[in-house]
């Protein structure tokens, strides 16, 4: 038996989502999703900054790649809102382009 084993790991494609992109996400435990902008991206997590509707403050949430793969998050993101991409891909669209989906 080896001391170190290698195993495949799911990570974010950092060329797909960049700092400044608009992003809407809903965690399975939330009643409503939150929209904001991407503040940081690594292969393991995405940090989204949003306005929490109170005063002159901002807040953030962090999405871990392993939780997204597990199905804990519904995500829609876009660089300029001319094309919106969703994850997981809606059942009626296998391309990931959700321009027909109501935002």
């Amino acid at each position: 038996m080896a001391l170190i084993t290698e195993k495949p790991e799911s990570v974010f494609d950092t060329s797909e989502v960049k700092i400044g992109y608009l992003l809407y996400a809903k965690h399975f435990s939330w009643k409503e999703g939150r929209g904001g902008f991407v503040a940081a991206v690594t292969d393991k997590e995405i940090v989204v900054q949003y306005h929490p509707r109170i005063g002159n403050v901002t807040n953030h949430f962090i999405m871990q790649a392993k939780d997204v793969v597990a199905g804990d998050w519904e995500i829609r993101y876009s660089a300029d809102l001319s094309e919106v991409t969703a994850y997981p891909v809606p059942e009626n669209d296998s391309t990931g382009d959700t321009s027909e989906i109501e935002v």
Side-chain angles (χ1 to χ4, degrees):
M1 184 173 248
L3 177 62
I4 304 294
T5 61
E6 293 184 28
K7 62 179 180 178
E9 182 180 21
S10 297
V11 295
F12 289 116
D13 179 357
T14 56
S15 67
E16 180 71 15
V17 176
K18 299 183 185 299
I19 293 174
Y21 276 31
L22 301 170
L23 189 141
Y24 169 87
K26 183 181 179 301
H27 190 262
F28 77 94
S29 66
W30 299 348
K31 289 182 182 180
E32 296 180 352
R34 297 181 179 133
F37 64 91
V38 176
V41 179
T42 67
D43 62 342
K44 301 218 187 285
E45 66 183 26
I46 295 176
V47 179
V48 179
Q49 190 169 9
Y50 69 97
H51 186 272
R53 300 183 188 146
I54 57 167
N56 190 20
V57 298
T58 60
N59 204 344
H60 70 280
F61 59 88
I62 300 171
M63 296 183 298
Q64 300 286 330
K66 62 183 172 90
D67 297 333
V68 173
V69 170
D72 293 349
W73 292 92
E74 294 175 24
I75 304 168
R76 293 191 296 255
Y77 58 93
S78 177
D80 57 8
L81 292 179
S82 64
E83 184 178 323
V84 177
T85 306
Y87 185 90
V89 176
E91 300 216 7
N92 62 347
D93 185 2
S94 62
T95 64
D97 177 17
T98 59
S99 55
E100 298 294 320
I101 292 180
E102 227 176 275
V103 178

